[in-house]
Amino acid sequence: MENQDNKLQDKLVRQFADFEKNWNGSVSEHFRNLRKEAIHHFGRMGFPTTRQESWKYTNIKPATANAYESAVDPPEPISRDAIAPYLLPETCRLVFVNGQFQPDLSEIPELSAQMVVQPLSRAFKEHPELLEEHFARYGKYEGSSLTALNTAYADGGTFIYIPDQTISEHPVHLIYLTDGRSGHRISYPRNLVVAGKNSQVKLIETSASTGGEACFVNAVNEVRVMDHAHVEWFKVQEENLLDFHVDHAFVNQDQNSYCKIHTVTTGSAITRNDLNITLNGSGCETHLYGLYWLGSKQHVDNHTLIDHARANSYSNELYKGIMDGQSTGVFNGKVMVRQDAQKTNAFQSNKNILLSDEATINAKPELEIYADDVKCSHGATSGQLDEQSLFYLKSRGIDPGKAAALLTFAFASEVLEHISVEPLKQYLSEKIQQRTGIAW
Amino acid sequence: MTEEDKILEEFTRSEYKYGFTSNIEQELLSKGLSEETVRFISAKKDEPEWLLEWRLKAFRHWQTLREPKWPKVEYPPIDFQDISYYAEPKEKKKLDSLDDLDPEIRSTYEKLGIPLEEQKMLAGVAVDAVLDSVSVATTFKETLAEKGVIFCSMSEAVQNHPELVRKNIGSVVPYTDNFYAALNSAVFSDGSFCYIPAGVRCPMELSTYFRINAANTGQFERTLIVAEEGSYVSYLEGCTAPMRDENQLHAAVVELVAHKDSEIKYSTVQNWYPGDKDGKGGIYNFVTKRGICKGDRAKISWTQVETGSAITWKYPSVILKGDHSIGEFYSVAVTNNYQQADTGTKMIHLGQNTKSRIVSKGISAGKSNNSYRGLVKISRKARNARNFSQCDSLLMGDQCGAHTFPYLEVSHPSAIVEHEATTSKIGEDVLFYCQQRGINEEDSVALIVNGYCKEVLNNLPMEFAVEAQKLLAISLEGSVG
């Protein structure tokens, strides 16, 4: 396996030269250097291994065992039906297949003044100054070789810019489809979101696949939330069970800003989500919600880091997991409170239900606190459905299977109810209901 | 300077009360560690061949290991060749009564406030006083012998009960376990050995006072407690050490073996020299403590009050192998000035219907860092395991840190695992309430901290509870968060 690891690593480093040629001077010196340094860094670090503390519970080797190719150009045609299940009404929609933008499947309505929603590849040409200011400024690749790999190759993805005092009318819906029909594919979605002062935006990010061979998605997201801005972001991960999904997100919040992130994971063989939230200003508010329901041999690893750098901020985290089959769930939530961050309130909770004898939960909620006037707490639990509640339902004449389904749905609902985009909430509720395996 | 700062500074300045050295002639082995050192120690103690072999194996394994870097503590690299690995008080006459004890040693204990006679009379405590590495006085041996309880120094146990030692030593903490356990296995000088036969309830609390005395001597204690079927023992360990400028390394190993239906209660009050207020000096306390509940319905309970040492690195653990076995961990850790503590526990659930409970209270002040690091592991076959963990941290002062790193690994659906942790300072409303009832600020803080730690202190044997409360009072007098 070690060899295959290196094989893929060498191949990706080698191919960078070809990739670079395609840019042909169309990009500024700044980005060319950035990418070169990033690939160099990846070449040095290689893929993470379980010997690293942050990858202790997640072995990524199965994901690096395939000989992935980048997307072919032009991409294979994809029918509208492939994305039909994921469509939501009244959104500004961008569809990508293996990281390549699909104008035919996308639908971008008329946007508020000066708001920008466009593929990143175009933004590099049309808004170089904005990109220079923000791209790779929040997502530092030094600490993560996969972020470095993405930084080197990133061109598929979305650039969203909401000017000061602007409220985005429609939620922006990004659909990332992986298409493994003609072989193993690797893609590097990269989203950059800049929310100006007093702006508001809602984002929905759907990751799905068409099936075929195993694919590897190595995504990086950067979000800057300026003063008093309000960003809500919903990540829905439902790729098929062969795929691998790694997602690093870096959010920087300025003072008095608000950010809420939902991560719902039901797909992929291995999913790894890293949310890094830095609260650079005082008076910030951050909410992180997570829901994962896995079966068979699936593996999900949710890492969150909330870094309270300034005073008077509030963060709240709720992650819930339902583990079936031989699946493994990992939760590593870290709250960091720096010395200046007095009057911080930080809460974190991770609750898990194990449905099968062979499922595993590894939880590691961490607190690292250097300020004294704070209120921080975390809790983690693992268990089964409450017997008393089950008994109560059964005593009301509900059969045991349905009672269990009802309680499982209720367990998941605690996360879903915070979703503010109604059609998405509906969609996910139905999906969870289906998963409980009974007719509602 | 505000009132708060003043009080804080007062607290930060309070110096180590037990700092002094006693002048007892010592036999010191020259510095350095090699196979010769190991052979020397073994020969010195007249050990059987198998033990020497075991020490040598441990030493060779130790040479292949590197110092662990994962704990959240920082210290300059230790030169293991710059430590003397053996020291013992010169006088080696066997003693029948306390009167024969070296007056220097006796006055040392008196200065520490633990007169042996008094303790002898008080609640019937047998004291196996370990001054540096060799046992100097053992009392109540006869009473214990009547019941068949063996309580002696490790060296004596090796001579008189080799089969028991051979069977159990390294069975819970093998020499391959970690860097410091390997080092300890190679060069351990002495320690306590305790054997409780089947069906015996040990008639008294057993206690050992450890004390590092000779400057520049790393101390490598090795304690082994075996509780046979249906027996019960409560073991107390307390430490204070003289004030020294150079850092002293202490890497002890404690092994507990609890057979079917037995119970071992292990309590520690640790108050070694923490270094001065600038972080100079102090003891490095890198300890491996582990117990195994071998039989069904066995119980092991660790209680610790940690106020001393410059650096503490200690995870008393329980392997719950027997069905229905119980593991408990109660801890209060106080750090001040530049002290660093990375401590916690591991509960490894292997048997069915096993239970564990973790209560950890951390208090950090000054510029110290206090971390809780714990593991709760429910293995694939541990049906109906139950765990509850509570880790609270109290912060006093804005320069200190409190950290929690719990690991939860659950591989059985029937397990119920709960972990909760909180970090805060002493609530202004609580302080106000006390003061408004006419209690001054200092007393209020003492009251609140004592209440905060009560759950743990309640688990200490009575004599220790008093000492522990005093210790907390000394360290936390007048400190307001």
Side-chain angles (χ1 to χ4, degrees), chain A residues 40-287:
Chain A
H40 188 66
H41 187 77
F42 170 73
R44 243 190 357 253
M45 304 255 295
F47 287 103
T49 67
T50 48
R51 310 187 87 189
Q52 284 160 257
E53 177 66 22
S54 59
W55 288 83
K56 180 178 155 81
Y57 294 118
T58 300
N59 183 1
I60 203 172
K61 274 191 176 158
T64 57
N66 301 317
Y68 300 103
E69 294 294 339
S70 296
V72 283
D73 201 21
E76 287 171 73
I78 211 145
S79 74
R80 236 188 146 68
D81 296 345
I83 60 158
Y86 314 111
L87 296 182
L88 296 170
E90 291 177 26
T91 59
C92 164
R93 182 174 70 244
L94 283 82
V95 179
F96 296 79
V97 175
N98 291 338
Q100 285 173 317
F101 182 55
Q102 309 290 316
D104 304 345
L105 300 173
S106 306
E107 201 179 307
I108 305 176
E110 203 167 313
L111 298 167
S112 329
Q114 285 169 343
M115 186 172 152
V116 181
V117 177
Q118 63 181 199
L120 196 67
S121 45
R122 239 170 71 200
F124 271 113
K125 290 168 194 137
E126 292 175 20
H127 298 281
E129 68 298 332
L130 276 175
L131 262 79
E132 202 150 321
E133 193 184 337
H134 298 287
F135 185 81
R137 297 286 179 194
Y138 315 113
K140 299 279 182 225
Y141 59 74
E142 282 80 3
S144 152
S145 60
L146 289 165
T147 302
L149 179 64
N150 176 291
T151 306
Y153 278 106
D155 62 342
T158 315
F159 173 60
I160 298 171
Y161 176 76
I162 307 105
D164 295 355
Q165 338 291 345
T166 306
I167 293 175
S168 164
E169 214 173 304
H170 305 290
V172 178
H173 189 190
L174 311 174
I175 300 179
Y176 288 94
L177 208 61
T178 43
D179 178 4
R181 287 175 304 175
S182 61
H184 299 293
R185 295 281 173 238
I186 187 164
S187 59
Y188 311 94
R190 175 101 182 193
N191 300 312
L192 174 59
V193 180
V194 180
K197 290 176 186 168
N198 298 309
S199 67
Q200 280 186 25
V201 66
K202 287 179 187 177
L203 292 159
I204 303 157
E205 182 193 354
T206 300
S207 304
S209 46
T210 58
E213 302 285 342
C215 294
F216 190 163
V217 179
N218 176 20
V220 172
N221 299 290
E222 292 181 278
V223 183
R224 168 78 183 269
V225 190
M226 294 187 189
D227 296 4
H228 290 95
H230 186 117
V231 173
E232 288 180 49
W233 187 9
F234 309 95
K235 300 163 85 74
V236 183
Q237 302 169 332
E238 42 185 328
E239 282 121 325
N240 78 32
L241 301 189
L242 287 173
D243 290 353
F244 305 98
H245 189 110
V246 180
D247 189 317
H248 284 81
F250 302 88
V251 180
N252 270 39
Q253 283 187 244
D254 295 353
Q255 58 173 322
N256 298 317
S257 62
Y258 176 100
C259 181
K260 180 158 105 177
I261 301 175
H262 269 76
T263 310
V264 179
T265 310
T266 56
S268 293
I270 297 175
T271 307
R272 161 74 180 229
N273 291 309
D274 266 44
L275 292 180
N276 300 285
I277 322 286
T278 310
L279 306 181
N280 277 325
S282 60
C284 293
E285 192 175 331
T286 308
H287 298 265

Side-chain angles (χ1 to χ4, degrees), chain B residues 23-65:
Chain B
N23 297 313
I24 304 167
E25 274 187 79
Q26 296 233 344
E27 191 173 337
L28 212 75
L29 182 64
S30 58
K31 289 173 177 178
L33 179 55
S34 64
E35 278 204 20
E36 272 60 59
T37 322
V38 177
R39 283 177 198 280
F40 173 86
I41 294 170
S42 187
K44 193 84 198 162
K45 304 180 107 14
D46 201 14
E47 284 175 357
E49 190 60 26
W50 62 265
L51 191 53
L52 174 64
E53 276 309 307
W54 189 71
R55 281 176 183 270
L56 288 172
K57 266 195 241 166
F59 176 70
R60 284 170 202 141
H61 183 72
W62 177 75
Q63 285 178 311
T64 66
L65 298 175

